[in-house]
Amino acid sequence: MVPDTDKKRIVIKIGSSSLTSLQGEISRRKLEKLVDEVVRLKDEGHEVLLVSSGAVAAGYRRLGCLSRPSSLPEKQAAASIGQGLLIESYSDLFLSHGYVASQILITRSDFSDENRYNNARNTINVLLERGIIPIVNENDTITMDFLKFGDNDTLSAKVAGLVDADQLIILSDIEGLYNDNPSENPDAKLITQVQEITPEIEAVAGDPGSAVGTGGMRSKIDAFKIAMASGISSFLGKASNPDIVYKAAHNEAVGTYFSSNVESNNLDQKQQWIAFNSGPEGDVIVDASTVETVIEAKESLQPENVHSVKGDFDEGAVVRILDLEGEEVGLGVVNYSSETFKQIKESESKDLEQYQQAAVESDDLVCHLEISIPIGV
């Protein structure tokens, strides 16, 4: 494979098991390996952002726990200790090479609010443009389970889309994606290239395989779906392999490369926010002919073609677009409130002239046909 020498914006995700020792504490050796490889990329002029797990794993022993805690309060307490230890170690190591690291702790609600989403993007862009290395993690100290991203695989893909990254590198304790479970089948073969997440690919995605981390192959596949839909090439490889980060960035590493060959898989920033982060506030139901016109022909949804609505929502809300059978076909930003939609439904045809604006503009609608992942993940 020909090395890629172009300057890139790269998001690197590393899991807990790849950062901690067998005793569950931060491994200085593993951190130094990662930092050294990031520094090589920085020295070449690349912009690098880290999505780093490890806060709970780094802090639970200093909390007095003999094993990783299972209760939410203990996890959050461990994270409050471990996050400081983690960022201190990163900062010291990067400073020794002349680079500054910054800490960004976020929650899912920071992404679901469009203004905060845009503010996060602006902040990170300033850091990257100034040569800073942002280190992102979910704010585990305060985040409730039902508000979590789920795992840092998903978070890293959403962050990659947020900052318009050129490449997402996910480091794990496995070589890449195999056609079968390599721990059970010694003849399992590494899949080196994936251009579409097929049902067969999903079928070989396994459950979490590490006692330290929380994200298994399934979560990584979902993350790669998000990245591919956003037009971002991705890589999955083993963190302990020599020069894995540097080689992955130059398309020379052993592992699995994910790159979509579907032209429509290139959602812009607004569409990414609608599809993956917004959180729908209600439903707009349309008939089959409207589905064909709006979804397949990519035309704007007109107010008179809305069959009915569910829920209470205001103008500017994100809603699910459903067919008459209740199947979700997309998400979109509405230009009318649920109450106005009901008034339109009850209006005479001659009165519809006052509702000239589309119910959902085509640019503000994302459908399942455009991406290979369930919307709203």
Side-chain angles (χ1 to χ4, degrees):
M1 190 173 292
V2 178
D4 186 348
T5 57
D6 292 338
K7 300 299 185 290
K8 293 180 180 179
R9 177 170 286 189
I10 304 167
V11 172
I12 302 168
K13 183 268 177 178
I14 187 162
S16 299
S17 62
S18 302
L19 286 176
T20 52
S21 67
L22 292 176
Q23 289 72 40
E25 298 177 328
I26 292 176
S27 168
R28 188 77 174 183
R29 177 183 59 81
K30 291 180 179 180
L31 275 179
E32 288 176 350
K33 176 184 181 299
L34 174 64
V35 168
D36 287 346
E37 293 188 55
V38 171
V39 167
R40 288 183 69 186
L41 295 178
K42 290 291 295 176
D43 287 346
E44 289 185 348
H46 301 291
E47 295 176 333
V48 181
L49 181 151
L50 286 176
V51 176
S52 177
S53 301
V56 175
Y60 75 80
R61 285 189 177 273
R62 298 205 185 185
L63 183 65
C65 301
L66 296 179
S67 60
R68 186 181 177 94
S70 56
S71 72
L72 181 60
E74 285 185 319
K75 286 181 181 178
Q76 293 179 324
S80 73
I81 298 171
Q83 193 62 55
L85 296 172
L86 196 60
I87 195 65
E88 180 182 19
S89 297
Y90 274 127
S91 295
D92 289 346
L93 288 171
F94 280 121
L95 277 175
S96 70
H97 293 279
Y99 291 106
V100 176
S102 69
Q103 182 182 48
I104 299 176
L105 298 177
I106 60 176
T107 65
R108 187 170 183 174
S109 59
D110 294 323
F111 271 45
S112 62
D113 181 278
E114 189 174 11
N115 289 329
R116 287 155 68 184
Y117 179 84
N118 290 330
N119 186 56
R121 181 174 70 248
N122 294 337
T123 298
I124 295 174
N125 279 336
V126 169
L127 292 168
L128 291 171
E129 289 163 4
R130 298 287 178 88
I132 312 299
I133 302 166
I135 300 174
V136 178
N137 195 5
E138 189 160 13
N139 195 347
D140 292 322
T141 303
I142 62 173
T143 304
M144 301 298 290
D145 281 345
F146 68 92
L147 291 177
K148 290 177 69 65
F149 286 94
D151 56 75
N152 275 358
D153 295 322
T154 301
L155 172 60
S156 68
K158 293 187 176 186
V159 168
L162 174 74
V163 300
D164 289 322
D166 298 298
Q167 186 179 27
L168 169 64
I169 297 173
I170 293 184
L171 302 177
S172 183
D173 51 8
I174 191 170
E175 202 84 54
L177 178 66
Y178 286 81
N179 62 358
D180 199 358
N181 188 339
S183 63
E184 298 177 359
N185 180 3
D187 296 323
K189 291 182 172 54
L190 179 68
I191 301 172
T192 59
Q193 293 282 344
V194 174
Q195 293 186 319
E196 181 183 4
I197 305 295
T198 63
E200 291 75 20
I201 292 291
E202 292 188 290
V204 300
D207 295 326
S210 168
V212 179
T214 58
M217 188 59 70
R218 176 70 63 183
S219 68
K220 291 172 176 56
I221 291 298
D222 286 343
F224 293 130
K225 286 180 181 179
I226 294 173
M228 292 169 76
S230 305
I232 300 168
S233 63
S234 305
F235 172 82
L236 173 64
K238 194 170 186 177
S240 61
N241 283 351
D243 300 323
I244 185 67
V245 172
Y246 186 80
K247 289 180 178 179
H250 292 80
N251 298 321
E252 297 174 334
V254 174
T256 304
Y257 289 87
F258 297 78
S259 59
S260 176
N261 60 357
V262 180
E263 189 174 331
S264 62
N265 278 0
N266 194 11
L267 304 181
D268 61 27
Q269 281 286 343
K270 181 63 175 286
Q271 291 169 328
Q272 288 178 43
W273 176 76
I274 292 171
F276 306 128
N277 301 295
S278 59
E281 298 180 35
D283 298 334
V284 168
I285 296 91
V286 298
D287 60 24
S289 62
T290 302
V291 170
E292 183 176 348
T293 300
V294 174
I295 303 301
E296 297 182 10
K298 297 185 179 180
E299 296 181 10
S300 297
L301 172 62
Q302 300 305 318
E304 62 269 21
N305 292 331
V306 172
H307 180 273
S308 58
V309 298
K310 291 181 180 179
D312 295 320
F313 51 84
D314 296 324
E315 173 188 344
V318 175
V319 300
R320 298 192 304 164
I321 312 296
L322 308 179
D323 62 21
L324 293 179
E325 284 70 45
E327 291 294 321
E328 183 178 337
V329 295
L331 289 174
V333 179
V334 290
N335 291 321
Y336 301 100
S337 67
S338 54
E339 188 59 36
T340 302
F341 276 121
K342 293 172 184 176
Q343 294 173 5
I344 294 172
K345 187 67 176 176
E346 296 170 356
S347 298
E348 300 288 339
S349 56
K350 62 181 176 62
D351 297 325
L352 292 176
E353 295 179 1
Q354 61 181 303
Y355 302 107
Q356 294 296 312
Q357 191 173 20
V360 178
E361 302 288 352
S362 58
D363 290 342
D364 291 338
L365 189 148
V366 182
C367 70
H368 284 302
L369 295 179
E370 293 178 301
I371 58 178
S372 58
I373 184 173
I375 289 176
V377 169

